[in-house]
Amino acid sequence: KEIRTNMAAAMERPTALPPGVSMELLPGKALGPFNLGSPISNVIAYMRKRGMEYRRIQVQFNTSNPYRMDIGLVLSHLGLRLRFCSYSQRLKIIDVFQPMKIRMSYDSRPLSGPDTTPTFSLVSRVLGPTFPGRNNTRKRMHMLQYPGVCALFPLKKASSQRAEMTRESLEQADPVAERFFVHVGKSCAERLQLPPLETSCLYFETVVVRINTGIRFAKRKRSLLFQRHTLQHVMSILGMPDQVYVKDTDSMRIHRSPLSTKGDKGCFPLQDSRDYFLNYFQMGVRAL
């Protein structure tokens, strides 16, 4: 079961989108601003800042079993799908399913776009020589594989019945690429992997929880103690939050100590004593 959430309303701006967003291809590493291995929170934050360039986004994930399938961010107006590992939520593969909508280039040479047709001869000329591709007879596609990037070309019914095609016959037919995959590794047919995290990276940091005491962040070698550390302690360890949320209603207010709702002199209640959260989306942490 798959759910798709539209984020267009939160990201729309009253400006026009220029035709053909330009993106530089770095095989095995990135396409434009999207780097393989990036956390999904960083990618969404970037899109929000850019506004109309990424005005329509669909989020795809499995509601019944979240770890069964990848998380997808679909940008249909750009013909782009970003697939994230459901466990680590890091970018695993970049799927360009409509190459004509993106001005994609490699080494400053045009590869696709509204005015650049990504034919077999053009892709071979721009990306350079490689091993002969192979046919997927079930999907009727020819896979032209390079380290870190794969191009898919449609095959005619007669051609798809053969396991391999000569380069000369493909150049003569000169089909147009229907899809590009940017990935880590030599082939997208193998099990896809994520780039290794740098030793200094704090993403996926081990957190030790001590019941009724606090939590300790292993790489930072710092701890936060319940009922002891203040807002300043939290921000000095975790930095600025991604978002601050103030609770409108508090169903647990009745269980508070009467002293917690009084002012400095213990006589008058505070005018605004509502609880609030500091949200750190990249770490999956929020502090109350």
Side-chain angles (χ1 to χ4, degrees):
K1 183 180 179 180
E2 184 179 288
I3 185 171
R4 300 188 178 189
T5 304
N6 198 330
M7 299 174 60
M11 303 182 66
E12 195 164 353
R13 299 290 186 276
T15 56
L17 178 70
V21 175
S22 300
M23 294 188 181
E24 181 74 14
L25 171 64
L26 299 177
K29 295 182 179 180
L31 177 63
F34 305 118
N35 296 289
L36 293 173
S38 298
I40 190 172
S41 57
N42 289 2
V43 174
I44 292 177
Y46 171 81
M47 291 179 180
R48 288 184 179 277
K49 290 181 181 179
R50 299 295 295 181
M52 273 299 282
E53 287 187 18
Y54 306 98
R55 68 193 185 280
R56 297 191 187 99
I57 300 177
Q58 290 180 328
V59 182
Q60 300 175 339
F61 61 96
N62 192 309
T63 55
S64 57
N65 188 352
Y67 299 109
R68 186 176 182 180
M69 61 177 286
D70 293 337
I71 302 171
L73 295 184
V74 182
L75 295 81
S76 56
H77 66 290
L78 296 179
L80 191 65
R81 178 184 289 106
L82 307 177
R83 285 173 49 189
F84 296 82
C85 171
S86 58
Y87 177 68
S88 65
Q89 296 189 359
R90 297 172 62 206
L91 183 56
K92 183 168 68 173
I93 188 170
I94 302 171
D95 177 10
V96 185
F97 60 88
Q98 288 182 315
M100 298 289 288
K101 290 187 176 183
I102 300 178
R103 297 185 186 276
M104 187 165 51
S105 60
Y106 173 71
D107 197 20
S108 300
R109 302 173 66 185
L111 186 60
S112 70
D115 51 0
T116 303
T117 304
T119 60
F120 181 85
S121 57
L122 176 65
V123 173
S124 301
R125 185 166 62 253
V126 173
L127 296 181
T130 186
F131 295 101
R134 65 185 184 88
N135 290 352
N136 187 323
T137 55
R138 183 173 62 89
K139 296 184 177 180
R140 296 182 183 177
M141 301 295 290
H142 179 80
M143 300 176 60
L144 189 62
Q145 181 68 63
Y146 292 86
V149 62
C150 178
L152 300 184
F153 299 89
L155 291 176
K156 296 181 180 179
K157 185 175 182 180
S159 302
S160 63
Q161 296 176 355
R162 290 178 288 173
E164 302 292 339
M165 289 189 65
T166 63
R167 187 176 184 86
E168 290 75 13
S169 60
L170 284 169
E171 289 180 346
Q172 183 177 4
D174 208 18
V176 178
E178 289 189 352
R179 214 168 195 138
F180 287 89
F181 292 108
V182 185
H183 57 87
V184 175
K186 294 182 179 181
S187 174
C188 64
E190 302 173 358
R191 184 176 180 179
L192 297 176
Q193 299 179 351
L194 290 168
L197 290 170
E198 299 180 0
T199 55
S200 59
C201 181
L202 296 177
Y203 189 73
F204 245 53
E205 178 182 13
T206 301
V207 177
V208 180
V209 180
R210 298 184 176 94
I211 304 299
N212 296 327
T213 302
I215 57 177
R216 180 169 179 80
F217 298 89
K219 284 189 177 181
R220 305 167 209 251
K221 298 181 179 180
R222 301 284 299 277
S223 297
L224 287 174
L225 304 179
F226 302 143
Q227 305 297 332
R228 180 176 173 182
H229 281 166
T230 64
L231 172 66
Q232 287 72 21
H233 286 100
V234 174
M235 296 185 65
S236 67
I237 295 176
L238 303 182
M240 288 291 295
D242 298 310
Q243 185 186 68
V244 178
Y245 173 74
V246 180
K247 297 178 65 175
D248 294 329
T249 59
D250 189 357
S251 58
M252 300 299 291
R253 185 185 298 271
I254 192 173
H255 296 284
R256 285 187 185 169
S257 168
L259 294 177
S260 64
T261 59
K262 295 182 179 180
D264 295 336
K265 296 182 180 181
C267 298
F268 302 100
L270 298 174
Q271 292 182 353
D272 191 354
S273 57
R274 293 178 296 175
D275 290 339
Y276 56 93
F277 292 101
L278 302 185
N279 292 313
Y280 297 88
F281 299 123
Q282 183 171 334
M283 292 183 286
V285 172
R286 63 179 181 180
L288 172 62

